[in-house]
Amino acid sequence: MSKSWGNRLAWLPKLNRPVPEGMNNPLEIAAFEAETYFQSGNSGKSVFFELYPAMKEAYAIRKDGDGYVISGGQTGVLYGVYTLIRGIEAGETLPEGTQKPYYPLRMINCWDNMDGTVERGYAGRSIWFENGRFDYDPARIRQMGRMLASVGINVLCINNVNVHQPAQHLLDTLLPEVEEFAAILRPFGVRLMLSVDFSMPLQNGLSTADPEDVQVQDWWKAQAQKIWKCVPDLAGFLVKADSEHRPGPNAYNRTHAQGANMLARAIKPFGGVLVWRAFVYNCLQDWRDTQTDRPRAAYDLYQPLDGCFDENVVLQVKYGPFDFQVREPVSPLLYAMPKTPLALEFQLAQEYTGHQIDLFAMPPLWREVLDQMGKEKVCAVAAVSNLGRDGNWFGHPFAALNLFAFGLYGWNPDADPQKVIAAWVRNTYTLPASQQDTLASVLLGSRKTYEKYTAPLGLCWMVRPESHYGPSPYGYEFQAWGTYNRADCRGVGIDRTEKGTGYACQYPKEWAEVFASPQACPDELLLFFHRLPYSFRMKDGRTLIQRIYDDHFEGCREAENMQEALKTLSLPEPDREEALQRMDQQVQNAREWRDVINTFFRRFSGIEDEKGRKIYD
Ligand code: GCW
């Protein structure tokens, strides 16, 4: 647990007065924020508002003499104030013209359980659940609302997609408390969403949860009526069905479209959106089975259903076909569902990317994903939360960057990672310019560094099973999760081309061709698509094995360099101490990865490092 910052915001420390309890109007909050900011060191500026309710989340900012005029909808004006302050802090020019979010739904998915634990949470316990009930400090929830609004995030799903009891009661007996919680976030333009359990009718006296059963349909309709009566602006439901032992329509021989549409129809009269996750695969695979290939699963299941979903269903697809790995190709499903509204799912929680101990700034990864798939393929973005009860909200003070950046990408999916990272640094710390640049460049390179010292070239799944931190190259090899590298003395990787599992054929032709050829395939995805001998020649002339050794030595050296760079920064406490302490753990982790991976591959390949560096026996 990190030292407490009290209820400080994670960025924009100049907004140092908490929004008072009872201030429930976005315009009033906007005025309060402007006053707080312009009084603290930027005096003399006045900010006027022009309200155009029809503009909703949109806004425009113009200079007016010595001050500014912000015109927009209720929430738009609030967003406008935050954009103005962020822009001044970052030294950016004001955005010109009317600003609208590119994606109407910008969702944070919290995997919070009601016992207070957070699945894959690395920032402490849940901020709002404990002991099977709501338990929170309203002032902290208001601070969270501010943070979300300050980067334009508008939906918060508050409970784990793996719905564990008593979370079902969020939909019945706990509804008044859901509304109390919703009311705190409402003025900040944040609407709640709830994860629901598909089998809920079974726990409520029905003998089936079959989506084609009229009683089941009526039960959900009645439920929806009660729910929206209590929380009139609930954004909708999020569902994980038939995945990792969660119940779903399969049990009744129904398709995912039938399952999703039944729920969507129940909530449609209230404007609810049904977000249905596409993270479905066989998690009871036999490692001896080389035909079943987990990355194929989502496409095989959902692509034939394109066009079968109701209009208020959003199919939420993880960016890669596996599971938030450091490097995966973009999920082929994102190209294959033109008639279905899709949401792109990211994971801010660093489950596979360093547990908010190792630095992993995500914007470069998102940039690649959005560029490869085309931003218009989806109508919404979602991200698994990295928030927790820790004093600094994120465990690592720099992990705040990922939530900040996610919000900005929801508005502008063309954003440049370098600019977004620089903006976060400047919005968070007052440092000499050269130190700001140092921190920004450490963050910008952090994903590449992490990638170099962990699983090589798109191989995935070399983490320790269960915890997903630290190396275990054969840890997943004989397990049921469909996560194999099949390394042996002849080579490594799985052939996913036409001659192999055929996964590469799920892509549109231009990508299928690139991925099908080891010569054309980008180096960083080589071992995702191909099984290759250690002597394979890479584009730059190195052998595959030499590239693996080089990357691991380099990645670890880069982590050591990052540590040296961070030591030179005059960050405020407790951030400095926390960042350096975590950096120390990261360096140890990087050394462990380097040595384990290099030894693993040398043992199999029998090939020495050309440069004679230390590889253990
Ligand atoms: O990455 C996996 C995680 C599970 C998670 C699942 C999912 C919520 O290991 O903890 O469950 O993904 O996305 O549903």
Side-chain angles (χ1 to χ4, degrees):
M1 170 102 172
S2 66
K3 286 187 188 144
S4 177
W5 283 359
N7 275 339
R8 191 179 118 181
L9 290 178
W11 50 83
L12 293 176
K14 288 181 189 162
L15 297 183
N16 54 6
R17 293 191 301 172
V19 172
E21 195 187 338
M23 188 177 274
N24 287 332
N25 180 309
L27 289 180
E28 228 187 313
I29 297 174
F32 174 84
E33 298 292 41
E35 194 192 301
T36 304
Y37 181 73
F38 288 105
Q39 271 177 2
S40 63
N42 292 285
S43 52
K45 309 265 190 235
S46 53
V47 184
F48 294 102
F49 302 145
E50 290 170 352
L51 182 64
Y52 296 98
M55 285 176 77
K56 297 189 172 152
E57 293 187 319
Y59 61 86
I61 309 174
R62 61 176 196 270
K63 271 207 87 92
D64 180 48
D66 214 19
Y68 304 93
V69 175
I70 300 176
S71 49
Q74 283 246 358
T75 312
V77 167
L78 182 61
Y79 288 158
V81 167
Y82 287 125
T83 304
L84 174 64
I85 299 174
R86 281 200 332 257
I88 296 173
E89 289 293 292
E92 290 165 357
T93 50
L94 284 179
E96 277 174 35
T98 302
Q99 306 298 307
K100 294 197 283 259
Y102 187 83
Y103 297 118
L105 280 178
R106 306 172 299 282
M107 308 180 273
I108 295 294
N109 295 175
C110 302
W111 289 354
D112 291 36
N113 298 312
M114 291 198 69
D115 64 2
T117 57
V118 179
E119 183 156 349
R120 311 302 179 186
Y122 310 104
R125 297 176 71 78
S126 168
I127 303 174
W128 49 84
F129 292 138
E130 195 62 71
N131 289 321
R133 55 188 176 82
F134 277 101
D135 178 2
Y136 56 82
D137 168 8
R140 194 151 216 240
I141 304 304
R142 269 196 300 281
Q143 290 289 61
M144 183 177 72
R146 261 172 125 178
M147 287 202 297
L148 298 175
S150 75
V151 291
I153 291 165
N154 64 358
V155 175
L156 187 76
C157 184
I158 58 171
N159 64 312
N160 192 354
V161 288
N162 292 328
V163 183
H164 303 299
Q165 282 281 25
Q168 282 94 325
H169 294 307
L170 294 170
L171 275 67
D172 46 52
T173 50
L174 291 172
L175 273 171
E177 289 173 55
V178 174
E179 168 53 22
E180 259 175 62
F181 193 79
I184 302 178
L185 293 171
R186 190 170 287 132
F188 298 96
V190 178
R191 296 159 73 198
L192 298 193
M193 186 172 271
L194 294 172
S195 294
V196 307
D197 180 329
F198 195 81
S199 68
M200 211 176 149
L202 293 177
Q203 286 121 48
N204 285 272
L206 269 68
S207 59
T208 177
D210 181 352
E212 296 294 309
D213 184 293
V214 177
Q215 269 188 309
V216 171
Q217 295 166 357
D218 289 345
W219 185 85
W220 278 110
K221 282 182 195 153
Q223 208 64 26
Q225 203 140 30
K226 276 188 258 167
I227 294 169
W228 265 268
K229 189 163 179 231
C230 216
V231 191
D233 61 351
L234 190 77
F237 291 161
L238 174 62
V239 189
K240 172 175 178 179
D242 289 324
S243 164
E244 298 183 333
H245 314 295
R246 307 314 300 169
N250 269 1
Y252 310 98
N253 279 324
R254 307 297 183 193
T255 68
H256 278 233
Q258 287 172 305
N261 291 345
M262 181 273 293
L263 289 172
R265 284 166 200 168
I267 67 179
K268 189 169 184 205
F270 314 101
V273 172
L274 197 272
V275 183
W276 187 268
R277 291 175 89 234
F279 177 64
V280 180
Y281 66 99
N282 174 8
C283 66
L284 294 173
Q285 194 179 325
D286 187 325
W287 60 271
R288 299 167 192 84
D289 164 10
T290 53
Q291 300 307 305
T292 310
D293 187 18
R294 172 167 163 183
R296 289 190 58 117
Y299 180 103
D300 285 344
L301 177 65
Y302 290 102
Q303 193 281 331
L305 296 177
D306 189 29
C308 300
F309 290 96
D310 279 13
E311 62 182 16
N312 63 327
V313 175
V314 174
L315 189 65
Q316 183 165 299
V317 184
K318 290 189 181 183
Y319 62 83
F322 260 136
D323 188 12
F324 304 134
Q325 301 295 291
V326 177
R327 173 76 66 173
E328 298 183 47
V330 164
S331 170
L333 197 57
L334 291 163
Y335 302 92
M337 306 285 292
K339 297 185 218 133
T340 308
L342 299 179
L344 177 61
E345 182 173 335
F346 292 126
Q347 190 185 40
L348 310 178
Q350 290 175 234
E351 176 178 358
Y352 298 98
T353 54
H355 284 203
Q356 285 140 248
I357 297 168
D358 297 27
L359 290 178
F360 194 101
M362 298 183 177
L365 186 161
W366 303 340
R367 182 69 280 128
E368 289 163 7
V369 169
L370 287 158
D371 284 345
Q372 196 197 308
M373 63 178 243
K375 62 184 177 197
E376 71 291 341
K377 297 282 192 312
V378 297
C379 65
V381 279
V384 179
S385 166
N386 58 353
L387 287 159
R389 210 175 267 236
D390 273 6
N392 65 13
W393 305 89
F394 300 94
H396 197 308
F398 303 165
L401 159 67
N402 289 326
L403 181 68
F404 177 94
F406 173 72
L408 268 48
Y409 274 86
W411 280 68
N412 175 16
D414 296 318
D416 171 358
Q418 196 168 351
K419 287 199 181 132
V420 171
I421 290 172
W424 175 77
V425 170
R426 293 183 187 155
N427 271 264
T428 305
Y429 298 119
T430 308
L431 294 170
S434 67
Q435 292 196 20
Q436 285 177 340
D437 293 347
T438 302
L439 178 53
S441 87
V442 162
L443 290 167
L444 187 64
S446 59
R447 184 277 186 119
K448 200 86 208 119
T449 296
Y450 189 85
E451 178 177 26
K452 281 188 190 168
Y453 64 74
T454 55
L457 307 172
L459 204 50
C460 308
W461 298 109
M462 287 194 150
V463 284
R464 292 197 186 110
E466 304 292 335
S467 79
H468 299 167
Y469 187 77
S472 180
Y474 245 23
Y476 268 109
E477 199 57 21
F478 302 102
Q479 299 227 9
W481 301 98
T483 44
Y484 314 111
N485 57 58
R486 307 206 189 265
D488 65 16
C489 63
R490 290 159 299 181
V492 59
I494 290 174
D495 182 356
R496 295 197 158 99
T497 68
E498 205 176 354
K499 294 198 209 87
T501 71
Y503 165 78
C505 309
Q506 294 182 333
Y507 285 91
K509 196 160 168 283
E510 59 275 24
W511 284 110
E513 278 170 13
V514 168
F515 295 144
S517 141
Q519 279 69 35
C521 182
D523 283 352
E524 57 273 16
L525 288 170
L526 203 56
L527 294 177
F528 191 100
F529 285 99
H530 300 280
R531 176 166 186 80
L532 296 169
Y534 299 107
S535 58
F536 176 82
R537 287 276 161 201
M538 310 282 295
K539 295 186 190 63
D540 65 5
R542 281 183 285 178
T543 59
L544 173 67
I545 188 74
Q546 191 57 40
R547 170 70 190 264
I548 293 176
Y549 295 152
D550 287 350
D551 274 7
H552 284 77
F553 284 111
E554 260 170 52
C556 189
R557 169 62 50 80
E558 286 172 19
E560 290 162 355
N561 292 344
M562 282 158 73
Q563 182 175 39
E564 289 314 308
L566 290 192
K567 283 185 189 159
T568 66
L569 304 182
S570 45
L571 293 164
E573 294 295 358
D575 296 30
R576 185 180 146 85
E577 189 192 324
E578 285 177 359
L580 288 179
Q581 184 249 325
R582 282 172 194 246
M583 193 65 233
D584 208 53
Q585 284 180 272
Q586 172 166 3
V587 168
Q588 287 174 38
N589 189 37
R591 289 183 185 142
E592 187 68 4
W593 271 100
R594 175 196 64 195
D595 292 340
V596 170
I597 299 297
N598 283 345
T599 294
F600 176 80
F601 282 111
R602 201 190 51 175
R603 283 184 186 168
F604 271 132
S605 68
I607 300 172
E608 299 297 328
D609 171 35
E610 277 171 8
K611 298 181 186 150
R613 290 162 294 193
K614 176 79 185 166
I615 296 180
Y616 292 83
D617 288 328

